[in-house]
Amino acid sequence: MRRQWLLSATVNDILEQALRAEGQGVNLKEALDRRGDMERARDMGLTFTVEHLYYQVVDAAYREDKEKIHDLWRDIGFWYGKYFKGKSSDPVKELTDALGFLTHGSQFTAEKGKGDELIVSCINERYTRGYTEVFATFIEAAFSVFGYKKLE
C-alpha cells in the first residue's frame, strides 16, 4: 500500500510541476534542460568568473568616480523602490524577495525591528569594498521610497 501511495504522490508531483512549467511558458523538458545548462556553466566556473568580473568592474568604477557611481546606484535604487511600491499591496515584502533573489549566494535578510524599524543585512565574502558601498546605497535608496531612513 505504501509503495502505491509513493508512486501516486510522485506522479501527482510530476504532473503538478509540468503544469507549473507550462504556466510559465516552458515545457518540463525545457525547464530541466535549462537547469542542466546552468549547472554545467556553474561547474565550469563560468558563473563565478562573470560574477567576479562584475564586482571588479563596479569596484574600478567606484574608485574612479565615487560620487557618480553612488548617484547611479541611488537612482536605480529609487527606481526599484518606486516600481515595487506601484506593483504590490506589500511592496516591502516584494522588494525584499527580489533582493533575496538578486543576492543569491549571499546571506541577505530584511526583518522588522522595534516599532517601524527595518533591519537589512547582506553578507557576501566575494563583494569588493566598492561594490559593498554602492549596493548599500542602492538598498538604502530603494527602502527610502517606503519611508525608511538609514540609522548611523
Side-chain angles (χ1 to χ4, degrees), residues 11-70:
V11 169
N12 192 31
D13 189 41
I14 290 168
L15 291 173
E16 188 177 305
Q17 296 309 316
L19 290 172
R20 183 172 158 228
E22 289 289 337
Q24 295 177 9
V26 296
N27 64 42
L28 199 51
K29 181 186 179 326
E30 287 174 298
L32 291 171
D33 288 348
R34 287 180 187 175
R35 177 169 171 89
D37 290 346
M38 290 299 295
E39 286 180 3
R40 248 181 59 228
R42 186 195 66 222
D43 291 347
M44 293 168 69
L46 297 177
T47 55
F48 172 76
T49 303
V50 172
E51 180 183 27
H52 180 72
L53 177 62
Y54 171 68
Y55 298 143
Q56 294 301 318
V57 168
V58 170
D59 198 60
Y62 175 77
R63 286 192 310 267
E64 186 69 28
D65 191 343
K66 290 179 184 177
E67 186 176 334
K68 181 177 181 179
I69 298 303
H70 271 288

Side-chain angles (χ1 to χ4, degrees), residues 15 29 38 43 63 74 87 91 116 125 138 146 149:
L15 291 173
K29 181 186 179 326
M38 290 299 295
D43 291 347
R63 286 192 310 267
R74 187 177 298 109
K87 178 182 187 247
D116 60 354
E125 70 277 359
F138 170 88
F146 310 118
K149 292 183 174 83

Side-chain angles (χ1 to χ4, degrees), residues 2 6-7 16-17 19 39 44 47 49 51 59 63 65 72 87 91 93 119 121 127 129-130 134-135 139 142-143 152:
R2 179 165 165 72
L6 287 174
L7 179 61
E16 188 177 305
Q17 296 309 316
L19 290 172
E39 286 180 3
M44 293 168 69
T47 55
T49 303
E51 180 183 27
D59 198 60
R63 286 192 310 267
D65 191 343
L72 288 169
K87 178 182 187 247
K93 181 185 180 325
I119 302 164
S121 172
Y127 289 176
R129 179 173 178 84
V134 296
F135 191 57
I139 291 171
F143 283 108
E152 296 295 330

Side-chain angles (χ1 to χ4, degrees), residues 85-100:
K85 188 173 186 176
K87 178 182 187 247
S88 171
S89 61
D90 190 355
V92 173
K93 181 185 180 325
E94 290 281 332
L95 176 60
T96 300
D97 289 348
L99 288 170

Side-chain angles (χ1 to χ4, degrees), residues 116-133:
D116 60 354
E117 284 183 345
L118 183 68
I119 302 164
V120 179
S121 172
C122 184
I123 301 169
N124 187 324
E125 70 277 359
R126 294 182 307 270
Y127 289 176
T128 61
R129 179 173 178 84
Y131 184 81
T132 300
E133 293 288 330

